[in-house]
Amino acid sequence: MNLLSKVYITINLEKLKYNINHTLDLCKKKSLNLAPVVKSVCADQPIIDCFNHSDVSLIADSRLDNFAKMSTDKEKFLIRPAAGCEAKDVVNYCDTSLQCDLNTIMALDSAAKDNGKTHNVILLIDIGDLRDGIYFEDESTLLSCAAYIHTSSNLMLTGIATNYNCFLGYLPDEDNMNQLSRLHQLIMPFYDTDSPVVSGGNSSSVSILTTEDKAFPADFNQLRMGEAIMLGRDPADNTFVPGYDTEVFTLHVPLIEVYEKKTPTGKVMRRGILAIGKQDLQLDHIIPKDSRVKVLGGCSDECVVDLDSAPEIKSGDELTFELEYGALMTAFAGSFIRREYV
């Protein structure tokens, strides 16, 4: 069924292709493989096809449901560790997954055996952000997981990885990157490949990628990147990354009303109501393209904007917005915003 909503997002596929190829070029210069993370667009097929038609070797996502509905011949890389109850679906829909729990790894082993498949596992390390992953000081758990995978006939240990800036805002630096390198060397005897993956972070590492006099440790060979490719933003400080196109996505929203209203303090303000709310996307992560417009907040169905500095804007007009990552991923996860492809 076609959506009736007049709220829509334009997606410039040519600009997205540019960002993909630009990232591939940057990675090549630093001898890195790119694992593009597409979780923010919820398996939107025209966007997935931009990656399908590129030189990337795999597609990374955090949701099994996204993998189940996307069409791709690329390697499928699950980047959120699974629960044991998800093992069968992980094996069915993914080629490789990040894991950090021995019970889940054992369940994956059983599921892979039942399905006559071999599943690749990359062990996830928490180097200080205190989200998911084996804590970097817990070497005994790391070695136990590595040994179990190595001795399994249904699983292959193909790498090690870490996350940055996902919970506490912990950013990559020389010390924590070297911690991952050290643990990589520790489990070297257990790898089931001659070329193990050392996945040294996400878009928070983009400043190292784009700066000539900065470098990753020599054994780092993969970056998982989503936000920088989709939006041209560095999540470390929410700034634009030089060299990237920042206008892949644009949100278009009509104004329901424009009135002058008196605030509780007695000040008269010219306010507009947008036909979009918290049920549609994260309102605190949309940025008006007209700098005179200010987002004040909203409720489930509507958003209030300050139009004091834009006297010519009237009811029925359409306002446009840039999307930060929080707005992008919630907009695509919902079902009330139309998509138009350029």
Side-chain angles (χ1 to χ4, degrees):
M1 182 180 72
N2 293 328
L3 287 176
L4 301 178
S5 173
K6 301 304 179 185
V7 179
Y8 64 101
I9 291 176
T10 52
I11 303 129
N12 191 309
L13 298 177
E14 292 304 314
K15 293 178 183 291
L16 176 59
K17 291 174 186 177
Y18 166 80
N19 283 353
I20 295 170
N21 291 326
H22 180 59
T23 309
L24 282 167
D25 290 342
L26 291 172
C27 286
K28 185 177 181 180
K29 290 177 182 178
K30 298 209 172 183
S31 301
L32 297 165
N33 293 319
L34 174 63
V37 178
V38 300
K39 62 182 182 180
S40 61
V41 297
C42 298
D44 182 271
Q45 195 59 47
I47 293 177
I48 298 300
D49 284 339
C50 290
F51 293 91
N52 285 339
H53 298 146
S54 76
D55 290 335
V56 301
S57 60
L58 56 85
I59 290 180
D61 205 305
S62 61
R63 306 277 177 162
L64 289 168
D65 293 276
N66 289 340
F67 280 127
K69 64 183 180 180
M70 75 170 63
S71 176
T72 182
D73 292 327
K74 306 289 187 180
E75 176 186 341
K76 295 179 179 180
F77 180 17
L78 179 67
I79 59 171
R80 181 174 68 180
C85 60
E86 298 175 303
K88 181 178 178 180
D89 289 331
V90 172
V91 170
N92 282 341
Y93 294 111
C94 307
D95 304 294
T96 302
S97 64
L98 292 183
Q99 301 299 339
C100 55
D101 179 79
L102 184 56
N103 290 329
T104 298
I105 290 168
M106 294 171 69
L108 284 172
D109 186 20
S110 178
K113 181 179 180 180
D114 291 343
N115 283 273
K117 293 184 177 180
T118 300
H119 184 75
N120 300 325
V121 175
I122 295 176
L123 288 173
L124 181 62
I125 307 300
D126 177 1
I127 58 171
D129 200 47
L130 302 185
R131 201 185 69 161
D132 50 355
I134 301 167
Y135 193 56
F136 71 95
E137 293 180 350
D138 188 1
E139 294 181 4
S140 62
T141 296
L142 174 60
L143 288 169
S144 295
C145 291
Y148 182 91
I149 298 166
H150 182 61
T151 57
S152 166
S153 58
N154 309 293
L155 302 176
M156 293 184 66
L157 181 59
T158 57
I160 193 169
T162 193
N163 276 322
Y164 291 106
N165 197 36
C166 291
F167 184 57
L168 293 183
Y170 202 66
L171 297 175
D173 59 32
E174 184 177 357
D175 288 341
N176 57 45
M177 288 192 295
N178 285 337
Q179 284 283 7
L180 187 66
S181 294
R182 180 183 65 82
L183 296 175
H184 162 60
Q185 295 299 323
L186 180 67
I187 63 172
M188 187 70 76
F190 300 100
Y191 285 126
D192 298 305
T193 173
D194 294 331
S195 303
V197 171
V198 182
S199 191
N202 49 26
S203 287
S204 296
S205 303
V206 70
S207 63
I208 303 174
L209 182 66
T210 56
T211 305
E212 289 188 8
D213 60 354
K214 292 183 179 181
F216 296 96
D219 46 18
F220 278 35
N221 55 24
Q222 185 193 83
L223 281 184
R224 307 182 310 279
M225 297 181 64
E227 184 168 352
I229 295 173
M230 299 295 182
L231 300 176
R233 287 182 176 271
D234 182 348
D237 55 10
N238 200 30
T239 57
F240 291 127
V241 184
Y244 278 82
D245 199 305
T246 61
E247 296 184 336
V248 175
F249 300 92
T250 301
L251 175 68
H252 303 252
V253 192
L255 280 158
I256 297 170
E257 69 167 48
V258 176
Y259 283 125
E260 290 187 352
K261 297 184 179 181
K262 187 179 294 186
T263 70
T265 63
K267 180 182 178 181
V268 176
M269 293 184 66
R270 192 166 185 270
R271 294 194 173 197
I273 305 297
L274 292 169
I276 198 167
K278 294 179 180 178
Q279 190 173 358
D280 302 290
L281 81 177
Q282 293 184 17
L283 298 178
D284 53 345
H285 288 281
I286 61 174
I287 303 171
K289 290 205 169 189
D290 186 333
S291 61
R292 301 172 301 165
V293 177
K294 308 298 180 186
V295 176
L296 299 177
C299 60
S300 59
D301 303 307
E302 297 174 348
C303 177
V304 184
V305 291
D306 180 349
L307 298 176
D308 272 347
S309 300
E312 80 281 7
I313 293 178
K314 61 187 182 302
S315 174
D317 286 351
E318 179 185 271
L319 299 185
T320 56
F321 299 82
E322 297 173 5
L323 299 177
E324 294 180 338
Y325 200 63
L328 177 68
M329 63 184 182
T330 49
F332 274 79
S335 58
F336 296 110
I337 300 177
R338 292 188 295 112
R339 303 167 194 175
E340 295 188 3
Y341 303 91
V342 180

